[in-house]
PDB file of all heavy atoms in Angstrom:
ATOM      1  N   GLY A 184       7.437 255.421 127.970  1.00  0.00           N
ATOM      2  CA  GLY A 184       7.157 255.886 126.624  1.00  0.00           C
ATOM      3  C   GLY A 184       5.991 256.887 126.570  1.00  0.00           C
ATOM      4  O   GLY A 184       5.667 257.526 127.578  1.00  0.00           O
ATOM      5  N   VAL A 191       5.925 261.928 127.009  1.00  0.00           N
ATOM      6  CA  VAL A 191       6.950 260.885 126.861  1.00  0.00           C
ATOM      7  C   VAL A 191       7.772 260.850 128.142  1.00  0.00           C
ATOM      8  O   VAL A 191       8.376 261.834 128.503  1.00  0.00           O
ATOM      9  CB  VAL A 191       7.866 261.144 125.680  1.00  0.00           C
ATOM     10  CG1 VAL A 191       8.883 260.043 125.468  1.00  0.00           C
ATOM     11  CG2 VAL A 191       7.071 261.377 124.410  1.00  0.00           C
ATOM     12  N   ARG A 192       7.789 259.664 128.795  1.00  0.00           N
ATOM     13  CA  ARG A 192       8.600 259.574 130.057  1.00  0.00           C
ATOM     14  C   ARG A 192       9.473 258.325 129.970  1.00  0.00           C
ATOM     15  O   ARG A 192       9.136 257.313 129.379  1.00  0.00           O
ATOM     16  CB  ARG A 192       7.604 259.383 131.239  1.00  0.00           C
ATOM     17  CG  ARG A 192       6.626 260.413 131.546  1.00  0.00           C
ATOM     18  CD  ARG A 192       5.338 260.274 130.807  1.00  0.00           C
ATOM     19  NE  ARG A 192       4.790 258.939 130.728  1.00  0.00           N
ATOM     20  CZ  ARG A 192       3.771 258.487 131.500  1.00  0.00           C
ATOM     21  NH1 ARG A 192       3.241 259.318 132.373  1.00  0.00           N
ATOM     22  NH2 ARG A 192       3.330 257.302 131.385  1.00  0.00           N
ATOM     23  N   GLY A 193      10.578 258.461 130.728  1.00  0.00           N
ATOM     24  CA  GLY A 193      11.429 257.328 131.016  1.00  0.00           C
ATOM     25  C   GLY A 193      12.121 256.643 129.887  1.00  0.00           C
ATOM     26  O   GLY A 193      12.542 255.486 129.983  1.00  0.00           O
ATOM     27  N   THR A 194      12.298 257.291 128.739  1.00  0.00           N
ATOM     28  CA  THR A 194      12.854 256.627 127.565  1.00  0.00           C
ATOM     29  C   THR A 194      14.427 256.695 127.618  1.00  0.00           C
ATOM     30  O   THR A 194      15.086 255.973 126.784  1.00  0.00           O
ATOM     31  CB  THR A 194      12.408 257.201 126.292  1.00  0.00           C
ATOM     32  OG1 THR A 194      12.722 258.592 126.239  1.00  0.00           O
ATOM     33  CG2 THR A 194      10.873 257.059 126.076  1.00  0.00           C
ATOM     34  N   MET A 195      14.962 257.545 128.376  1.00  0.00           N
ATOM     35  CA  MET A 195      16.410 257.772 128.520  1.00  0.00           C
ATOM     36  C   MET A 195      17.025 258.083 127.140  1.00  0.00           C
ATOM     37  O   MET A 195      18.150 257.755 126.848  1.00  0.00           O
ATOM     38  CB  MET A 195      17.126 256.497 129.086  1.00  0.00           C
ATOM     39  CG  MET A 195      16.692 256.154 130.479  1.00  0.00           C
ATOM     40  SD  MET A 195      17.321 254.566 131.054  1.00  0.00           S
ATOM     41  CE  MET A 195      16.393 253.411 130.108  1.00  0.00           C
ATOM     42  N   GLY A 196      16.216 258.668 126.271  1.00  0.00           N
ATOM     43  CA  GLY A 196      16.735 259.061 124.941  1.00  0.00           C
ATOM     44  C   GLY A 196      16.799 257.899 123.941  1.00  0.00           C
ATOM     45  O   GLY A 196      17.329 258.063 122.861  1.00  0.00           O
ATOM     46  N   ILE A 197      16.318 256.727 124.393  1.00  0.00           N
ATOM     47  CA  ILE A 197      16.380 255.575 123.455  1.00  0.00           C
ATOM     48  C   ILE A 197      15.141 255.585 122.572  1.00  0.00           C
ATOM     49  O   ILE A 197      14.033 255.492 123.045  1.00  0.00           O
ATOM     50  CB  ILE A 197      16.483 254.256 124.264  1.00  0.00           C
ATOM     51  CG1 ILE A 197      17.703 254.264 125.155  1.00  0.00           C
ATOM     52  CG2 ILE A 197      16.493 253.030 123.336  1.00  0.00           C
ATOM     53  CD1 ILE A 197      17.801 253.151 126.150  1.00  0.00           C
ATOM     54  N   LEU A 200      12.209 253.022 122.811  1.00  0.00           N
ATOM     55  CA  LEU A 200      11.395 252.957 124.045  1.00  0.00           C
ATOM     56  C   LEU A 200      10.225 253.934 123.984  1.00  0.00           C
ATOM     57  O   LEU A 200       9.380 253.964 124.828  1.00  0.00           O
ATOM     58  CB  LEU A 200      12.254 253.288 125.273  1.00  0.00           C
ATOM     59  CG  LEU A 200      13.129 252.146 125.799  1.00  0.00           C
ATOM     60  CD1 LEU A 200      13.960 252.631 126.967  1.00  0.00           C
ATOM     61  CD2 LEU A 200      12.337 250.930 126.178  1.00  0.00           C
ATOM     62  N   LEU A 201      10.128 254.735 122.861  1.00  0.00           N
ATOM     63  CA  LEU A 201       9.027 255.667 122.727  1.00  0.00           C
ATOM     64  C   LEU A 201       7.665 254.925 122.699  1.00  0.00           C
ATOM     65  O   LEU A 201       6.670 255.368 123.238  1.00  0.00           O
ATOM     66  CB  LEU A 201       9.164 256.455 121.415  1.00  0.00           C
ATOM     67  CG  LEU A 201      10.158 257.576 121.387  1.00  0.00           C
ATOM     68  CD1 LEU A 201      10.376 258.141 120.019  1.00  0.00           C
ATOM     69  CD2 LEU A 201       9.792 258.684 122.358  1.00  0.00           C
TER      70      LEU A 201
END
Side-chain angles (χ1 to χ4, degrees):
Chain A
V191 183
R192 300 86 43 101
T194 60
M195 298 173 286
I197 300 170
L200 283 178
L201 285 171

